[in-house]
Coordinates of all heavy atoms in Angstrom, one line a residue:
M1 N 3.3 -4.3 18.3 CA 3.5 -4.3 16.9 C 2.2 -4.8 16.2 O 1.6 -5.8 16.6 CB 4.7 -5.3 16.6 CG 5.0 -5.4 15.1 SD 6.3 -6.7 14.8 CE 7.7 -6.1 15.7
D2 N 1.9 -4.2 15.1 CA 0.7 -4.6 14.4 C 0.9 -5.9 13.7 O 2.0 -6.1 13.1 CB 0.3 -3.5 13.3 CG -0.3 -2.3 14.0 OD1 -0.7 -2.4 15.2 OD2 -0.4 -1.3 13.3
M3 N 0.0 -6.8 13.7 CA 0.1 -8.1 13.0 C -1.0 -8.2 12.0 O -2.1 -7.6 12.1 CB -0.1 -9.2 14.1 CG 0.9 -9.1 15.3 SD 2.6 -9.4 14.9 CE 2.6 -11.2 15.0
W4 N -0.7 -9.0 11.0 CA -1.7 -9.4 10.0 C -1.6 -10.9 9.8 O -0.6 -11.4 9.3 CB -1.5 -8.6 8.7 CG -2.6 -8.8 7.7 CD1 -3.8 -8.2 7.6 CD2 -2.5 -9.7 6.6 NE1 -4.5 -8.7 6.5 CE2 -3.7 -9.6 5.9 CE3 -1.5 -10.6 6.1 CZ2 -4.0 -10.4 4.7 CZ3 -1.8 -11.4 5.0 CH2 -3.0 -11.3 4.3
R5 N -2.7 -11.6 10.1 CA -2.7 -13.0 10.0 C -1.5 -13.6 10.7 O -0.9 -14.6 10.2 CB -2.8 -13.5 8.5 CG -4.2 -13.1 7.9 CD -4.3 -13.5 6.5 NE -4.3 -14.9 6.3 CZ -4.3 -15.5 5.1 NH1 -4.4 -14.8 4.0 NH2 -4.3 -16.8 5.0
G6 N -1.1 -13.0 11.8 CA 0.0 -13.6 12.6 C 1.3 -13.1 12.1 O 2.3 -13.6 12.7
I7 N 1.4 -12.3 11.1 CA 2.7 -11.9 10.6 C 2.8 -10.4 10.9 O 1.9 -9.6 10.8 CB 2.7 -12.0 9.0 CG1 2.4 -13.4 8.6 CG2 4.1 -11.6 8.5 CD1 2.1 -13.6 7.1
P8 N 4.0 -10.0 11.4 CA 4.2 -8.6 11.7 C 3.9 -7.7 10.5 O 4.5 -8.1 9.4 CB 5.7 -8.5 12.1 CG 6.0 -9.9 12.6 CD 5.2 -10.8 11.8
R9 N 3.1 -6.7 10.6 CA 2.7 -5.9 9.4 C 3.9 -5.4 8.7 O 3.9 -5.3 7.4 CB 1.8 -4.8 9.9 CG 1.4 -3.8 8.8 CD 0.5 -4.5 7.8 NE 0.2 -3.7 6.6 CZ 0.9 -3.6 5.5 NH1 2.1 -4.2 5.4 NH2 0.5 -2.8 4.6
E10 N 5.0 -5.1 9.4 CA 6.1 -4.5 8.7 C 6.9 -5.5 7.9 O 7.9 -5.1 7.2 CB 7.0 -3.7 9.7 CG 6.2 -2.6 10.3 CD 7.1 -1.5 10.9 OE1 8.3 -1.6 11.0 OE2 6.5 -0.5 11.3
E11 N 6.6 -6.7 7.9 CA 7.2 -7.8 7.1 C 6.4 -8.0 5.9 O 6.7 -8.9 5.1 CB 7.4 -9.1 7.9 CG 8.4 -8.9 9.0 CD 8.7 -10.2 9.8 OE1 8.3 -11.2 9.4 OE2 9.2 -10.0 10.9
I12 N 5.3 -7.3 5.7 CA 4.4 -7.5 4.6 C 4.5 -6.4 3.6 O 4.2 -5.2 3.9 CB 2.9 -7.7 5.0 CG1 2.8 -8.8 6.0 CG2 2.0 -7.9 3.8 CD1 1.5 -8.9 6.7
P13 N 5.1 -6.7 2.4 CA 5.4 -5.6 1.5 C 4.1 -5.2 0.6 O 4.2 -5.2 -0.6 CB 6.5 -6.2 0.6 CG 6.1 -7.6 0.6 CD 5.6 -8.0 1.9
W14 N 3.1 -4.8 1.3 CA 1.9 -4.3 0.6 C 1.6 -2.9 1.0 O 1.2 -2.5 2.1 CB 0.6 -5.2 1.0 CG -0.5 -4.7 0.2 CD1 -1.4 -3.7 0.5 CD2 -0.9 -5.3 -1.1 NE1 -2.3 -3.6 -0.6 CE2 -2.0 -4.5 -1.5 CE3 -0.4 -6.2 -1.9 CZ2 -2.6 -4.8 -2.8 CZ3 -1.0 -6.5 -3.2 CH2 -2.1 -5.8 -3.6
F15 N 1.9 -2.0 0.0 CA 1.6 -0.6 0.2 C 1.8 0.0 -1.2 O 2.4 -0.6 -2.1 CB 2.6 0.1 1.2 CG 4.0 -0.3 1.0 CD1 4.8 0.2 0.0 CD2 4.6 -1.3 1.9 CE1 6.1 -0.1 -0.1 CE2 6.0 -1.6 1.7 CZ 6.7 -1.1 0.7
P16 N 1.2 1.2 -1.4 CA 1.3 1.8 -2.7 C 2.7 2.4 -3.0 O 3.4 2.7 -2.1 CB 0.3 3.0 -2.6 CG 0.1 3.3 -1.2 CD 0.5 2.0 -0.4
T17 N 2.9 2.5 -4.3 CA 4.1 3.2 -4.8 C 3.5 4.3 -5.7 O 2.7 4.0 -6.6 CB 5.0 2.3 -5.6 OG1 5.5 1.3 -4.7 CG2 6.2 3.0 -6.1
I18 N 4.0 5.5 -5.6 CA 3.5 6.6 -6.4 C 4.6 7.0 -7.4 O 5.7 7.3 -7.0 CB 3.0 7.8 -5.6 CG1 1.9 7.3 -4.7 CG2 2.6 9.0 -6.5 CD1 1.3 8.4 -3.7
D19 N 4.2 7.1 -8.7 CA 5.2 7.6 -9.7 C 5.0 9.1 -9.8 O 4.0 9.6 -10.3 CB 4.8 6.9 -11.0 CG 5.7 7.3 -12.2 OD1 6.4 8.4 -12.0 OD2 5.7 6.6 -13.2
D20 N 6.0 9.8 -9.2 CA 5.9 11.2 -9.2 C 5.7 11.9 -10.6 O 5.0 12.9 -10.7 CB 7.2 11.8 -8.6 CG 7.3 11.6 -7.1 OD1 6.3 11.2 -6.5 OD2 8.3 11.9 -6.5
S21 N 6.3 11.2 -11.6 CA 6.2 11.8 -12.9 C 4.7 11.7 -13.5 O 4.4 12.5 -14.4 CB 7.1 11.1 -13.9 OG 6.7 9.8 -14.1
K22 N 3.9 10.8 -12.9 CA 2.5 10.7 -13.4 C 1.5 11.5 -12.5 O 0.4 11.7 -12.8 CB 2.1 9.3 -13.4 CG 2.8 8.5 -14.5 CD 2.2 7.1 -14.5 CE 2.8 6.2 -15.6 NZ 2.3 4.8 -15.5
C23 N 2.0 11.8 -11.2 CA 1.0 12.4 -10.3 C 0.8 13.9 -10.6 O 1.8 14.6 -10.7 CB 1.6 12.2 -8.9 SG 0.6 13.0 -7.6
T24 N -0.5 14.2 -10.7 CA -0.8 15.6 -11.0 C -1.2 16.4 -9.7 O -1.5 17.6 -9.8 CB -2.0 15.7 -11.9 OG1 -3.1 15.0 -11.3 CG2 -1.8 15.0 -13.3
G25 N -1.1 15.7 -8.6 CA -1.5 16.3 -7.3 C -3.0 16.6 -7.2 O -3.3 17.5 -6.4
C26 N -3.8 15.8 -7.8 CA -5.2 16.1 -7.8 C -5.8 15.9 -6.4 O -6.9 16.4 -6.1 CB -6.0 15.2 -8.8 SG -6.0 13.5 -8.4
G27 N -5.2 15.0 -5.6 CA -5.7 14.8 -4.2 C -6.7 13.7 -4.1 O -7.2 13.5 -3.0
E28 N -7.1 13.1 -5.1 CA -8.2 12.1 -5.1 C -7.8 11.0 -4.1 O -8.6 10.5 -3.3 CB -8.3 11.5 -6.5 CG -9.6 10.7 -6.7 CD -10.8 11.6 -6.8 OE1 -10.8 12.7 -7.2 OE2 -11.8 11.1 -6.3
C29 N -6.6 10.5 -4.2 CA -6.1 9.4 -3.3 C -6.1 9.8 -1.8 O -6.5 9.1 -0.9 CB -4.7 8.9 -3.7 SG -3.5 10.2 -3.7
L30 N -5.7 11.1 -1.6 CA -5.7 11.6 -0.2 C -7.1 11.7 0.4 O -7.3 11.5 1.6 CB -5.1 13.0 -0.2 CG -3.6 12.9 -0.5 CD1 -3.1 14.2 -1.2 CD2 -2.8 12.7 0.7
S31 N -8.1 12.0 -0.5 CA -9.5 12.1 0.0 C -10.0 10.7 0.3 O -10.8 10.6 1.3 CB -10.4 12.7 -1.1 OG -9.9 13.8 -1.6
I32 N -9.7 9.7 -0.4 CA -10.3 8.4 -0.2 C -9.6 7.6 0.9 O -10.3 6.8 1.6 CB -10.2 7.6 -1.5 CG1 -11.3 6.4 -1.5 CG2 -8.9 7.0 -1.9 CD1 -12.7 6.9 -1.5
C33 N -8.4 7.7 1.2 CA -7.7 6.9 2.2 C -7.8 7.5 3.5 O -7.4 8.6 3.8 CB -6.2 6.7 1.8 SG -5.5 5.6 3.0
R34 N -8.4 6.7 4.5 CA -8.6 7.2 5.8 C -7.6 6.6 6.8 O -7.8 6.7 8.0 CB -10.0 6.8 6.3 CG -11.1 7.5 5.5 CD -12.4 7.0 5.7 NE -13.4 7.7 4.8 CZ -14.1 8.7 5.2 NH1 -14.1 9.2 6.4 NH2 -14.9 9.3 4.3
N35 N -6.5 6.0 6.2 CA -5.6 5.4 7.1 C -4.3 6.1 7.3 O -3.3 5.5 7.9 CB -5.3 4.0 6.6 CG -6.6 3.1 6.6 OD1 -7.1 2.8 7.7 ND2 -7.1 2.8 5.4
G36 N -4.2 7.3 6.8 CA -3.0 8.1 7.0 C -1.7 7.5 6.3 O -0.6 7.8 6.7
V37 N -2.0 6.8 5.2 CA -0.9 6.2 4.4 C -0.2 7.3 3.6 O 1.0 7.3 3.4 CB -1.4 5.1 3.5 CG1 -0.3 4.5 2.7 CG2 -2.1 4.0 4.3
L38 N -1.0 8.2 3.1 CA -0.6 9.2 2.1 C -0.5 10.6 2.6 O -1.3 11.0 3.5 CB -1.5 9.2 0.9 CG -1.8 7.8 0.3 CD1 -3.0 7.8 -0.6 CD2 -0.6 7.3 -0.5
G39 N 0.4 11.4 2.1 CA 0.6 12.8 2.4 C 0.8 13.6 1.2 O 0.9 13.0 0.1
F40 N 0.8 14.9 1.3 CA 1.0 15.7 0.2 C 2.3 16.6 0.3 O 2.5 17.2 1.3 CB -0.2 16.7 0.0 CG -0.3 17.4 -1.3 CD1 -0.6 16.7 -2.5 CD2 0.0 18.7 -1.4 CE1 -0.7 17.3 -3.7 CE2 0.0 19.3 -2.6 CZ -0.4 18.6 -3.8
D41 N 3.1 16.5 -0.7 CA 4.4 17.3 -0.6 C 4.1 18.6 -1.4 O 3.9 18.7 -2.6 CB 5.5 16.5 -1.3 CG 6.8 17.3 -1.3 OD1 7.3 17.5 -0.2 OD2 7.3 17.7 -2.3
E42 N 4.1 19.7 -0.6 CA 3.8 21.0 -1.1 C 4.9 21.5 -2.2 O 4.5 22.1 -3.1 CB 3.8 22.0 0.0 CG 2.6 21.9 0.9 CD 1.2 22.1 0.2 OE1 1.2 22.7 -0.8 OE2 0.2 21.7 0.8
S43 N 6.1 21.1 -2.0 CA 7.1 21.6 -2.9 C 7.0 21.0 -4.3 O 7.1 21.7 -5.3 CB 8.5 21.5 -2.3 OG 8.8 20.1 -2.1
S44 N 6.8 19.7 -4.3 CA 6.6 19.0 -5.6 C 5.2 19.0 -6.1 O 4.9 18.6 -7.2 CB 7.2 17.6 -5.6 OG 6.5 16.8 -4.6
R45 N 4.2 19.3 -5.2 CA 2.8 19.2 -5.5 C 2.4 17.8 -5.9 O 1.6 17.7 -6.9 CB 2.4 20.3 -6.6 CG 2.9 21.7 -6.3 CD 2.2 22.4 -5.2 NE 0.7 22.5 -5.4 CZ -0.1 22.7 -4.4 NH1 0.3 22.9 -3.1 NH2 -1.4 22.8 -4.6
T46 N 2.9 16.9 -5.2 CA 2.5 15.5 -5.5 C 2.2 14.7 -4.2 O 2.6 15.1 -3.1 CB 3.7 14.7 -6.2 OG1 4.8 14.7 -5.3 CG2 4.0 15.2 -7.5
A47 N 1.4 13.7 -4.4 CA 1.1 12.8 -3.3 C 2.3 11.9 -3.0 O 3.1 11.6 -3.9 CB -0.1 11.9 -3.6
Q48 N 2.5 11.6 -1.7 CA 3.6 10.8 -1.2 C 3.1 9.7 -0.3 O 2.1 9.9 0.4 CB 4.6 11.7 -0.5 CG 5.2 12.9 -1.3 CD 6.1 12.4 -2.4 OE1 7.0 11.6 -2.1 NE2 6.1 13.1 -3.5
V49 N 3.9 8.6 -0.3 CA 3.5 7.5 0.7 C 4.3 7.8 2.0 O 5.5 7.8 2.0 CB 3.9 6.2 0.1 CG1 3.6 5.1 1.1 CG2 3.3 5.9 -1.2
T50 N 3.6 8.2 3.0 CA 4.3 8.7 4.2 C 4.2 7.6 5.3 O 5.1 7.5 6.2 CB 3.6 10.0 4.8 OG1 2.2 9.8 4.8 CG2 4.0 11.1 3.9
N51 N 3.2 6.8 5.4 CA 3.1 5.7 6.4 C 2.7 4.4 5.7 O 1.6 3.9 5.8 CB 2.1 6.0 7.4 CG 2.5 7.2 8.3 OD1 3.5 7.1 9.0 ND2 1.8 8.3 8.2
P52 N 3.7 3.8 5.0 CA 3.3 2.6 4.1 C 2.6 1.5 4.9 O 1.7 0.8 4.3 CB 4.7 2.2 3.5 CG 5.7 2.8 4.4 CD 5.1 4.1 4.9
Y53 N 3.1 1.2 6.1 CA 2.5 0.1 6.8 C 1.1 0.3 7.5 O 0.6 -0.6 8.1 CB 3.5 -0.5 7.8 CG 4.8 -0.9 7.1 CD1 6.0 -0.2 7.2 CD2 4.7 -2.0 6.2 CE1 7.1 -0.6 6.5 CE2 5.9 -2.4 5.5 CZ 7.0 -1.7 5.7 OH 8.2 -2.1 5.0
N54 N 0.6 1.5 7.3 CA -0.8 1.8 7.6 C -1.7 1.3 6.6 O -2.9 1.2 6.8 CB -1.0 3.3 7.8 CG -0.6 3.8 9.2 OD1 0.1 3.1 9.9 ND2 -0.9 5.0 9.5
C55 N -1.2 0.9 5.4 CA -2.0 0.5 4.3 C -2.7 -0.8 4.6 O -2.1 -1.7 5.2 CB -1.2 0.4 3.0 SG -2.1 -0.1 1.6
V56 N -4.0 -0.9 4.3 CA -4.7 -2.1 4.6 C -4.3 -3.2 3.6 O -4.3 -3.0 2.4 CB -6.3 -1.9 4.4 CG1 -7.1 -3.2 4.6 CG2 -6.7 -0.8 5.4
V57 N -3.8 -4.3 4.1 CA -3.3 -5.4 3.2 C -4.4 -5.8 2.2 O -5.5 -6.1 2.6 CB -2.8 -6.6 4.0 CG1 -2.4 -7.7 3.1 CG2 -1.7 -6.2 5.0
E58 N -4.0 -5.8 1.0 CA -4.8 -6.2 -0.2 C -5.8 -5.1 -0.6 O -6.6 -5.3 -1.5 CB -5.4 -7.5 0.0 CG -4.3 -8.6 0.0 CD -4.8 -10.0 0.0 OE1 -5.6 -10.4 0.9 OE2 -4.4 -10.8 -0.9
C59 N -5.8 -4.0 0.0 CA -6.6 -2.8 -0.5 C -5.9 -2.2 -1.6 O -4.6 -2.1 -1.6 CB -6.9 -1.8 0.7 SG -7.8 -0.3 0.1
S60 N -6.6 -1.8 -2.6 CA -5.9 -1.0 -3.7 C -6.8 0.1 -4.3 O -6.8 0.4 -5.4 CB -5.4 -2.0 -4.8 OG -6.5 -2.7 -5.3
T61 N -7.7 0.5 -3.4 CA -8.7 1.5 -3.8 C -8.1 2.7 -4.4 O -8.6 3.2 -5.4 CB -9.6 1.9 -2.6 OG1 -10.1 0.7 -2.0 CG2 -10.7 2.8 -2.9
C62 N -7.1 3.3 -3.8 CA -6.5 4.5 -4.3 C -6.0 4.4 -5.7 O -6.1 5.2 -6.5 CB -5.5 5.1 -3.3 SG -4.2 3.9 -2.9
A63 N -5.4 3.2 -6.0 CA -4.8 3.0 -7.3 C -6.0 2.9 -8.3 O -5.8 3.4 -9.4 CB -4.1 1.7 -7.3
R64 N -7.1 2.3 -8.0 CA -8.2 2.3 -8.9 C -8.8 3.6 -9.2 O -9.3 3.9 -10.3 CB -9.3 1.3 -8.4 CG -8.9 -0.2 -8.6 CD -10.0 -1.1 -8.3 NE -10.0 -1.4 -6.9 CZ -11.0 -1.1 -6.0 NH1 -12.0 -0.4 -6.5 NH2 -11.0 -1.4 -4.8
L65 N -8.7 4.5 -8.2 CA -9.3 5.8 -8.4 C -8.4 6.9 -9.0 O -8.8 7.9 -9.4 CB -9.8 6.4 -7.0 CG -11.0 5.6 -6.4 CD1 -11.4 6.1 -5.1 CD2 -12.2 5.6 -7.4
C66 N -7.1 6.6 -9.0 CA -6.2 7.6 -9.5 C -6.4 7.8 -11.0 O -6.3 6.9 -11.7 CB -4.7 7.2 -9.2 SG -3.5 8.3 -10.0
P67 N -6.7 9.1 -11.4 CA -7.0 9.3 -12.8 C -5.8 9.2 -13.7 O -6.0 9.0 -14.9 CB -7.5 10.8 -12.8 CG -7.0 11.4 -11.5 CD -6.8 10.3 -10.5
T68 N -4.6 9.2 -13.2 CA -3.4 9.1 -14.1 C -2.7 7.8 -14.0 O -1.5 7.7 -14.5 CB -2.5 10.3 -13.9 OG1 -2.0 10.2 -12.5 CG2 -3.2 11.6 -14.1
E69 N -3.2 6.8 -13.2 CA -2.6 5.5 -13.0 C -1.2 5.7 -12.4 O -0.2 5.0 -12.8 CB -2.5 4.7 -14.3 CG -3.9 4.4 -14.7 CD -4.0 3.5 -16.0 OE1 -2.9 3.2 -16.5 OE2 -5.1 3.1 -16.3
A70 N -1.0 6.7 -11.5 CA 0.3 6.9 -10.9 C 0.6 6.0 -9.7 O 1.7 5.9 -9.3 CB 0.3 8.4 -10.4
I71 N -0.5 5.3 -9.2 CA -0.3 4.5 -8.1 C -0.2 3.0 -8.4 O -1.1 2.5 -9.2 CB -1.4 4.7 -7.1 CG1 -1.6 6.2 -6.7 CG2 -1.2 3.9 -5.8 CD1 -2.7 6.5 -5.8
S72 N 0.8 2.3 -7.9 CA 0.8 0.9 -8.2 C 1.0 0.1 -6.9 O 1.4 0.6 -5.9 CB 2.0 0.6 -9.2 OG 3.2 1.0 -8.6
F73 N 0.7 -1.2 -7.1 CA 0.8 -2.2 -5.9 C 1.6 -3.4 -6.4 O 1.7 -3.6 -7.6 CB -0.6 -2.6 -5.4 CG -1.1 -1.5 -4.5 CD1 -1.9 -0.5 -5.0 CD2 -0.9 -1.6 -3.2 CE1 -2.4 0.5 -4.2 CE2 -1.4 -0.6 -2.3 CZ -2.1 0.4 -2.8
P74 N 2.0 -4.3 -5.5 CA 2.7 -5.5 -5.9 C 1.7 -6.3 -6.8 O 0.5 -6.3 -6.6 CB 3.0 -6.2 -4.6 CG 3.0 -5.1 -3.6 CD 2.0 -4.1 -4.0
D75 N 2.3 -7.2 -7.6 CA 1.5 -8.1 -8.4 C 0.8 -9.0 -7.4 O 1.3 -9.6 -6.5 CB 2.5 -8.9 -9.2 CG 1.8 -10.1 -10.0 OD1 1.1 -9.8 -10.9 OD2 1.9 -11.2 -9.5
Q76 N -0.6 -9.1 -7.7 CA -1.4 -9.9 -6.7 C -1.0 -11.4 -6.6 O -1.0 -11.9 -5.5 CB -2.9 -9.7 -7.1 CG -3.9 -10.4 -6.2 CD -3.9 -9.6 -4.8 OE1 -4.1 -8.4 -4.8 NE2 -3.8 -10.4 -3.7
A77 N -0.7 -12.0 -7.7 CA -0.4 -13.4 -7.7 C 0.9 -13.7 -6.9 O 1.0 -14.6 -6.1 CB -0.3 -14.0 -9.1
A78 N 1.9 -12.8 -7.2 CA 3.2 -13.0 -6.5 C 3.0 -12.7 -5.0 O 3.6 -13.3 -4.1 CB 4.2 -12.0 -7.1
F79 N 2.2 -11.7 -4.7 CA 1.9 -11.4 -3.3 C 1.3 -12.5 -2.6 O 1.6 -12.9 -1.5 CB 1.1 -10.1 -3.2 CG 0.8 -9.7 -1.8 CD1 1.8 -9.1 -1.0 CD2 -0.4 -10.0 -1.2 CE1 1.6 -8.8 0.3 CE2 -0.6 -9.6 0.1 CZ 0.4 -9.0 0.9
S80 N 0.3 -13.1 -3.2 CA -0.5 -14.3 -2.6 C 0.5 -15.4 -2.3 O 0.4 -16.0 -1.3 CB -1.6 -14.8 -3.5 OG -2.5 -13.7 -3.7
E81 N 1.4 -15.6 -3.2 CA 2.4 -16.7 -3.1 C 3.3 -16.4 -1.9 O 3.7 -17.2 -1.1 CB 3.2 -16.8 -4.4 CG 4.2 -18.0 -4.4 CD 3.5 -19.4 -4.1 OE1 2.3 -19.6 -4.4 OE2 4.2 -20.2 -3.5
F82 N 3.7 -15.1 -1.8 CA 4.6 -14.7 -0.7 C 3.9 -14.9 0.7 O 4.5 -15.5 1.6 CB 4.9 -13.2 -0.8 CG 5.5 -12.5 0.4 CD1 6.9 -12.6 0.6 CD2 4.8 -11.9 1.3 CE1 7.5 -12.0 1.7 CE2 5.3 -11.3 2.4 CZ 6.7 -11.4 2.6
I83 N 2.6 -14.6 0.7 CA 1.9 -14.8 2.0 C 1.7 -16.3 2.3 O 1.9 -16.7 3.5 CB 0.5 -14.1 1.9 CG1 0.6 -12.6 1.9 CG2 -0.4 -14.5 3.1 CD1 1.3 -12.0 3.1
K84 N 1.5 -17.1 1.3 CA 1.3 -18.5 1.5 C 2.6 -19.1 2.1 O 2.6 -19.8 3.0 CB 1.0 -19.2 0.1 CG 0.3 -20.5 0.2 CD -0.2 -20.8 -1.2 CE 0.6 -21.9 -1.8 NZ 0.3 -22.3 -3.1
Q85 N 3.7 -18.7 1.5 CA 5.1 -19.1 2.0 C 5.3 -18.7 3.4 O 5.8 -19.4 4.3 CB 6.2 -18.6 1.1 CG 6.2 -19.1 -0.3 CD 6.5 -20.5 -0.4 OE1 7.2 -21.1 0.4 NE2 6.0 -21.2 -1.4
K86 N 5.0 -17.5 3.7 CA 5.2 -16.9 5.0 C 4.4 -17.6 6.0 O 4.9 -18.0 7.1 CB 4.7 -15.4 4.9 CG 5.3 -14.5 6.0 CD 6.7 -14.0 5.6 CE 7.0 -12.9 6.6 NZ 8.5 -12.9 6.9
L87 N 3.1 -17.9 5.7 CA 2.3 -18.7 6.7 C 2.8 -20.1 6.8 O 2.8 -20.7 7.9 CB 0.8 -18.7 6.2 CG 0.1 -17.3 6.2 CD1 -1.2 -17.3 5.6 CD2 0.0 -16.8 7.7
A88 N 3.3 -20.7 5.7 CA 3.7 -22.1 5.7 C 5.0 -22.2 6.6 O 5.3 -23.3 7.1 CB 4.0 -22.6 4.3
T89 N 5.8 -21.2 6.7 CA 7.0 -21.3 7.5 C 6.7 -21.2 9.0 O 7.6 -21.1 9.8 CB 8.1 -20.3 7.1 OG1 7.5 -19.0 7.2 CG2 8.6 -20.5 5.7
G90 N 5.4 -21.1 9.3 CA 5.1 -21.1 10.7 C 5.2 -19.8 11.5 O 5.2 -19.8 12.7
E91 N 5.2 -18.7 10.8 CA 5.2 -17.5 11.5 C 3.8 -17.0 11.9 O 3.3 -16.0 11.5 CB 5.9 -16.4 10.6 CG 7.3 -16.7 10.3 CD 8.0 -15.6 9.7 OE1 7.6 -14.4 9.9 OE2 9.0 -15.8 8.9
K92 N 3.2 -17.9 12.6 CA 1.9 -17.6 13.2 C 2.0 -17.3 14.6 O 3.0 -17.6 15.2 CB 1.0 -18.8 13.0 CG 0.7 -19.2 11.5 CD -0.2 -20.3 11.4 CE -0.3 -20.8 9.9 NZ -1.0 -22.0 9.8
P93 N 0.9 -16.7 15.2 CA 1.0 -16.4 16.6 C 1.2 -17.7 17.5 O 0.8 -18.7 17.1 CB -0.3 -15.8 17.0 CG -1.1 -15.7 15.7 CD -0.4 -16.4 14.6
Ligands
SF4_101 S1 -4.9 10.3 -7.2 FE1 -3.1 10.0 -8.5 S2 -2.7 11.9 -9.5 FE2 -4.1 12.3 -7.9 S3 -2.8 13.0 -6.2 FE3 -3.1 10.8 -5.9 S4 -1.4 9.8 -7.0 FE4 -1.5 11.9 -7.7
SF4_102 S1 -4.7 0.9 -0.8 FE1 -6.4 1.5 0.6 S2 -5.5 1.6 2.6 FE2 -3.8 1.6 1.2 S3 -3.3 3.7 0.7 FE3 -4.7 3.1 -0.8 S4 -6.8 3.6 -0.1 FE4 -5.3 3.7 1.7

């Protein structure tokens, strides 16, 4: 199982969410991400999150590059607090 700072990656809710209604299918996010997180749905012609836990924790490059702001991530402050709590509860290796 993949771990991040001693926490199982699948317990960390950091991955993109794509708003289909804003996605134009330009493919910019698919070009930039080398981690296999995103895929392209031919029928809707939109990008999709296919492997969320492949996303690099705290990366948000694709969201910054999306021309229509279709990609969002968790609130950074709330996420930092979540990680702090998680580490404090002793879920370390
Ligand atoms: S960069 Fe944005 S608009 Fe372009 S395919 Fe990705 S999510 Fe859709
Ligand atoms: S945030 Fe980074 S690792 Fe995650 S999907 Fe976007 S470009 Fe890929």
Side-chain angles (χ1 to χ4, degrees):
M1 183 188 296
D2 286 344
M3 306 289 276
W4 184 81
R5 295 178 64 182
I7 306 167
R9 178 64 184 87
E10 298 201 354
E11 292 181 15
I12 302 174
W14 184 271
F15 46 78
T17 299
I18 299 176
D19 181 341
D20 286 352
S21 69
K22 290 185 180 173
C23 177
T24 60
C26 71
E28 197 69 37
C29 56
L30 292 150
S31 309
I32 198 70
C33 184
R34 294 170 185 262
N35 296 293
V37 179
L38 306 165
F40 193 74
D41 181 64
E42 291 293 344
S43 59
S44 62
R45 308 290 301 164
T46 57
Q48 303 287 320
V49 180
T50 49
N51 292 296
Y53 298 111
N54 280 10
C55 183
V56 176
V57 175
E58 294 185 305
C59 178
S60 56
T61 304
C62 54
R64 282 189 277 112
L65 292 177
C66 174
T68 62
E69 299 184 353
I71 305 176
S72 59
F73 279 87
D75 173 74
Q76 185 68 52
F79 180 76
S80 296
E81 187 57 29
F82 169 84
I83 292 299
K84 207 166 103 186
Q85 295 291 332
K86 199 83 171 147
L87 293 172
T89 56
E91 292 191 30
K92 295 181 187 173

